[in-house]
Each structure stands twice: as C-alpha cells, then as structure tokens.
Amino acid sequence: MSIRKLLIETICILAGLSVAIWYLGILLRPTDTDSCIDTINAFHNATDDSFDVICYGSSHGWRGLSTPRLNKDLGICSYNYGTNFQQLNTEKLFIEDSLRTQHPKIAIIETYRVNQVINSQPMDGEIYYTRAISSFPGKREYLRQCLGDDIINHIAYYVPFAAFHENWMNITKESFWRPDNSGVFEKTCGFCPISEIIPVHIPADACTSQKELSDEALDCLESIVRICDENDIKIIFYTTPYAEVYEYSKAMSDFAKEHNCTYINLFEKIEEAGIDENTDFSDEGHLNTAGAEKVAVYLEKYITELL
C-alpha cells in the first residue's frame, strides 16, 4: 500500500470517527434542553436595542411571567430570557450575554435558585445549553467557574458525547431529530407558555422558615447589580409562588433595600395578584399561562414607575 493511499484512508477513518462522535453527542444530549437552546437562538435573532425590559431566571420565571401580556398592556417591547434550571451564575451569564446586543431599561430577575451557584462539576444540561451562546469574556469566566480545572469537563463541553455517553437509556424519538423551534419563541417574546391546569396547595407558612444567602451567592448578586448599574438598568427581583417553602425572601428583601433595588415576594401577594391555586398552576412548581399573565399584570405598576 502506498503512503498516499494509507494517508487518505487514515484521514477518512478519522473524519468518520469525528462525525460519529459528533452525532452521538447530539443523539445522547439531554433533550429537555432543546427548548432552552431555541429561546437563546430566538433572542439572538432579535433586532439590536429592541427590548426595554428583559426577564431572567429559571423555569419558574420562564413559564411564570408572560412577556406577551406585558407588551400588550404597556406597549413596550420585552423578552423573557429565562430557561430551565438557571442557577445564579447562569442568570449572570444570560444578563451579560443580553447586554452585548440590547440596552434594556429594566431587568426583571426571578430568584428561585438565588442561593445556588454552579462550581467545578461535570457538564450537565444547564451548562450544555449555554453552547448556544457564543464565546465572550463573561462566558469564558462562567465555564471556568462551572467546569473547574478538569480538562475532561472542558472537552465534554465541546464534545458532548464525553459528558452524556451513559445516556443510552434516555434515548427517545426526539433524540434523533431536533427541529428548530426558535421561531416559536420569537412569537412569544421568549415566554414558555404552559396550558395544563393542576390544582396545588401553597403552604400558609411558605416564607416563615428563612436562611441567609451564602457569601458566594451574595458576591454573584452584587456582581449582577454592578453590571446593571454600569449599564443604567433598574432591577426588579421577584419570587413566584409555588407549592413549597421559600427560604430566602427576607434575605432578598434586605439585599434589595441595601442595593436600591425592588424586591417583590409574590408569596405575599397571591390574593392581590389574583393568583388562584386551583386554576393558575401547571404543576406544584410552576404557574401556567393564566398565572403567568396575572404575574405580568401585577408587575406592570412597578415597571411603569421605573420606565
């Protein structure tokens, strides 16, 4: 066999292996991140400087604050840049990413995971979907914090098969083909509507058991406030109600007062906002679209005061 032929065959084999590893990474991906990637892509498809209000947060905010209702009632342009999970440093990443193309007047930040920060761990679904955000200094800092110094963790970010190779038992028909639904989120202004109705019971003492925020969480929150201050953005922190105990409402209230921000604990405003435990939830942790519209209506007066 000639050297040239051997070289060509070697290149073909390596190319085939590369394609196979790339496809396996897609096949074994966490499919519950597909919609997160779609909403990120939809945000990046928006015209620069088009949003006056941007909302950030985990699924509690992504499903729980209707930006279409805000836009309809206030005549403003807003986007719900939430996704599933979103621990605090992921929220910070999304804020920094959004400010590369947008200059909102108000940031509405949901606080369900306010005391949770990702540090030095193998790649999971939350880190995986940030692949849809292109590289910039803030993202590189985020990946160093999330993935630590383990080179395998960093390789897995770019070669997902290394992270999800044990995911064979989770393959479904959706794993083989991922349609681009970013157009759906362009129409909903990022909001993730949920129509299901499941009655829940919110504990009367949902905010009586309280904890302090960790130093790491406080550092991250202060960094978020600093970023917003530098860009002349007013902040509204808020907590959506759900059928569990929320342990950081006092800490968030104290933090907001100290940093001249607004904090709204909707656990304390359920009746005032008109939220109904029997009709406004899609499960024990999330509002449905009807509940999300009520949250939007309730927040409108705070937004109007700050605009």
Side-chain angles (χ1 to χ4, degrees):
M1 181 183 294
S2 67
I3 295 177
R4 181 181 178 185
K5 185 176 181 181
L6 178 62
L7 181 60
I8 292 173
E9 289 182 354
T10 301
I11 292 173
C12 290
I13 291 171
L14 291 175
L17 284 173
S18 298
V19 170
I21 291 172
W22 174 80
Y23 182 75
L24 285 173
I26 295 174
L27 180 65
L28 300 177
R29 75 191 185 283
T31 54
D32 61 353
T33 62
D34 288 356
S35 56
C36 301
I37 291 173
D38 288 332
T39 197
I40 293 169
N41 289 335
F43 181 86
H44 291 154
N45 290 338
T47 303
D48 290 2
D49 296 328
S50 57
F51 301 126
D52 294 313
V53 176
I54 302 179
C55 314
Y56 308 92
S58 70
S59 57
H60 289 251
W62 192 28
R63 303 181 186 183
L65 175 53
S66 172
T67 37
R69 183 58 187 260
L70 283 182
N71 297 347
K72 177 182 177 182
D73 289 358
L74 297 181
I76 62 173
C77 197
S78 63
Y79 193 92
N80 191 323
Y81 204 23
T83 46
N84 288 332
F85 321 126
Q86 272 211 30
Q87 296 181 50
L88 190 56
N89 51 338
T90 305
E91 280 189 328
K92 177 174 174 281
L93 170 67
F94 273 62
I95 291 170
E96 291 180 298
D97 176 54
S98 66
L99 298 184
R100 295 194 290 163
T101 57
Q102 302 292 330
H103 295 87
K105 298 173 183 176
I106 297 174
I108 303 179
I109 303 174
E110 179 265 324
T111 64
Y112 174 68
R113 294 181 178 270
V114 73
N115 200 49
Q116 298 177 6
V117 177
I118 309 173
N119 268 310
S120 300
Q121 68 174 45
M123 187 172 71
D124 64 1
E126 179 171 358
I127 302 171
Y128 172 79
Y129 62 62
T130 67
R131 285 160 47 92
I133 298 175
S134 62
S135 181
F136 70 101
K139 181 178 176 181
R140 291 192 289 272
E141 176 188 349
Y142 170 80
L143 291 179
R144 285 193 296 269
Q145 181 179 14
C146 290
L147 302 175
D149 297 325
D150 190 330
I151 188 64
I152 300 301
N153 289 346
H154 289 268
I155 290 174
Y157 187 80
Y158 298 100
V159 186
F161 175 69
F164 304 120
H165 60 87
E166 296 180 353
N167 210 18
W168 293 104
M169 297 302 295
N170 296 321
I171 291 177
T172 65
K173 62 180 181 180
E174 287 79 15
S175 303
F176 290 89
W177 179 67
R178 197 190 87 74
D180 181 359
N181 289 318
S182 56
V184 173
F185 289 102
E186 290 175 17
K187 292 179 180 178
T188 65
C189 305
F191 170 59
C192 184
I194 302 293
S195 59
E196 284 83 1
I197 299 174
I198 295 180
V200 305
H201 172 68
I202 299 175
D205 58 349
C207 293
T208 56
S209 175
Q210 292 292 293
K211 293 181 179 179
E212 296 294 324
L213 293 167
S214 68
D215 290 341
E216 187 173 43
L218 286 170
D219 287 344
C220 193
L221 278 171
E222 288 172 355
S223 180
I224 288 172
V225 171
R226 183 172 63 254
I227 291 168
C228 290
D229 284 346
E230 290 171 352
N231 288 275
D232 197 26
I233 300 169
K234 303 292 194 308
I235 296 177
I236 298 175
F237 291 109
Y238 78 106
T239 304
T240 57
Y242 52 93
E244 299 174 30
V245 172
Y246 184 68
E247 298 175 317
Y248 300 103
S249 57
K250 183 180 183 304
M252 280 308 307
S253 179
D254 293 343
F255 179 87
K257 289 177 183 176
E258 182 180 346
H259 293 82
N260 196 31
C261 302
T262 300
Y263 172 62
I264 303 164
N265 178 14
L266 286 169
F267 276 100
E268 299 175 347
K269 308 292 183 180
I270 291 175
E271 290 186 9
E272 190 175 342
I275 295 172
D276 190 327
E277 294 171 306
N278 294 311
T279 62
D280 292 338
F281 288 82
S282 61
D283 57 44
E284 292 192 345
H286 302 91
L287 293 165
N288 58 25
T289 299
E293 291 191 346
K294 291 179 180 179
V295 170
V297 171
Y298 186 79
L299 293 182
E300 286 174 6
K301 60 182 177 181
Y302 295 94
I303 295 169
T304 302
E305 289 173 359
L306 294 177
L307 284 174

